[in-house]
Amino acid sequence: MPIGVILAFVAYASFSMGDALIKAVGPGFSVFEIAFFTTSFSIIPLALTNRRERWREMFKMKHPWLVQLRCLTAICGTSLIVYAFTHIHFAETYAIAFTTPIFVTLLSVLILKEHVTPLRWVLLLVGFVGVLLVVRPGFRELGLGHLAAFASTLVGAVTTVILRHIAPTEKRVTLVGVLVVYSVIFNGTMMLHSFVWPTWEQFGLLALCGAFGGCGGLLLIAATKVTPANLLAPVQYSQLIWGIILGTAFYHEYPDALAIGGLFVVLGAGLMNVLSEKTKIRWKPRVFFYRSGL
């Protein structure tokens, strides 16, 4: 298995831990306040590991307009996914979010001209069927949380493709630092009208959430530099296991039999998609990145 895929598995596990903490602190805060604190703290892992790049060069960009667009889509995606996590079940949010690889694959073929085999197209569609088994539109009431989760997948796919194009030539301090600066300004402004002072415990949870997100982001950036976008995309499905475990253990969210079946259909299709890759990996910068916050 390519090293980039292994790094991606660890990255998504880190993301899941952060997502679980978002749900824990979510009910008492606006999505903008949660995004403000978690994004602010997400810079810590980069600050501790960045020894080669200078922070004052953060705004020296090779693709300034694409960097700005990526910041816009990432900030929008953060607000949408935080809303979803705090309003619907943990596993449901993940199941909907796992339609992102389909849009990533479509865009990687249309825009990045990457090759995708017919088998992998079939597996992506099977994964989407699994999502439908979990959400079951038309058979149950869907709320704004479900709509926000679906919207985040579209925004996330755009973010992925933009970063796929700019990451090989942009510095890490640019990819992470500029987004953090913009997110702090935007979310800091938007949260003012409903700001609630967090307790020390809540503050600690927000800090830990940001740290998990920051570590996951750095791991995923490292993975995308060595492995193709359409190969890393299905690794996101590994979060289904975390969604079931964390949702059950901490939030007493118990999916019914049909939903569990759908979750494992999604997981199985995603893993088969990774394992079915027969193409020899060339070790050159290739980028996949889906994460609303980073």
Side-chain angles (χ1 to χ4, degrees):
M1 184 178 293
I3 185 64
V5 173
I6 297 174
L7 290 174
F9 273 116
V10 179
Y12 282 116
S14 183
F15 286 145
S16 295
M17 301 301 178
D19 294 337
L21 294 175
I22 287 177
K23 191 171 183 67
V25 300
F29 302 96
S30 70
V31 296
F32 303 112
E33 186 170 350
I34 295 173
F36 173 83
F37 282 111
T38 56
T39 304
S40 299
F41 284 115
S42 68
I43 201 71
I44 295 176
L46 177 61
L48 295 176
T49 59
N50 181 54
R51 298 181 179 179
R52 296 182 179 180
E53 300 174 350
R54 298 177 179 178
W55 288 97
R56 63 174 177 268
E57 297 178 349
M58 178 171 38
F59 288 97
K60 293 183 179 180
M61 312 169 197
K62 302 291 185 180
H63 307 87
W65 290 109
L66 288 178
V67 170
Q68 320 302 322
L69 180 59
R70 179 251 177 170
C71 290
L72 175 63
T73 58
I75 290 171
C76 289
T78 298
S79 299
L80 290 167
I81 202 67
V82 168
Y83 185 88
F85 274 125
T86 55
H87 286 78
I88 61 176
H89 285 188
F90 203 50
E92 284 186 13
T93 305
Y94 275 147
I96 296 172
F98 294 158
T99 59
T100 298
I102 297 176
F103 298 111
V104 170
T105 304
L106 284 170
L107 293 176
S108 70
V109 171
L110 296 175
I111 298 177
L112 305 179
K113 308 302 181 183
E114 294 183 350
H115 175 69
V116 180
T117 64
L119 174 60
R120 294 180 64 200
W121 280 117
V122 171
L123 291 172
L124 284 170
L125 291 176
V126 170
F128 182 70
V129 172
V131 173
L132 294 180
L133 290 175
V134 176
V135 180
R136 278 167 276 175
F139 295 90
R140 52 177 298 185
E141 183 179 357
L142 301 182
L144 290 178
H146 297 92
L147 179 61
F150 275 115
S152 73
T153 66
L154 299 175
V155 176
V158 176
T159 304
T160 296
V161 174
I162 295 173
L163 192 59
R164 159 67 182 86
H165 181 71
I166 66 177
T169 56
E170 297 289 355
K171 297 180 288 293
R172 284 202 313 168
V173 292
T174 297
L175 295 175
V176 179
V178 174
L179 175 57
V180 170
V181 170
Y182 284 10
S183 180
V184 167
I185 294 173
F186 173 79
N187 290 302
T189 302
M190 296 297 294
M191 75 176 184
L192 290 178
H193 74 285
S194 59
F195 181 77
V196 176
W197 283 105
T199 64
W200 284 111
E201 179 182 357
Q202 292 170 328
F203 191 78
L205 291 175
L206 290 168
L208 191 57
C209 176
F212 274 124
C215 289
L218 292 181
L219 288 168
L220 202 49
I221 287 177
T224 60
K225 289 183 178 293
V226 295
T227 305
N230 52 25
L231 178 58
L232 288 180
V235 180
Q236 183 185 357
Y237 291 115
S238 65
Q239 287 186 287
L240 276 172
I241 297 297
W242 290 110
I244 296 174
I245 294 174
L246 296 173
T248 301
F250 295 103
Y251 303 109
H252 307 292
E253 298 174 352
Y254 304 100
D256 59 26
L258 187 59
I260 291 176
L263 289 169
F264 278 97
V265 168
V266 174
L267 175 62
L271 293 179
M272 286 179 63
N273 210 330
V274 173
L275 298 176
S276 68
E277 176 62 36
K278 303 297 183 181
T279 305
K280 180 180 179 181
I281 302 297
R282 295 185 178 183
W283 295 92
K284 62 181 181 179
R286 302 293 297 275
V287 175
F288 165 76
F289 189 86
Y290 167 65
R291 182 64 180 168
S292 10
L294 281 173

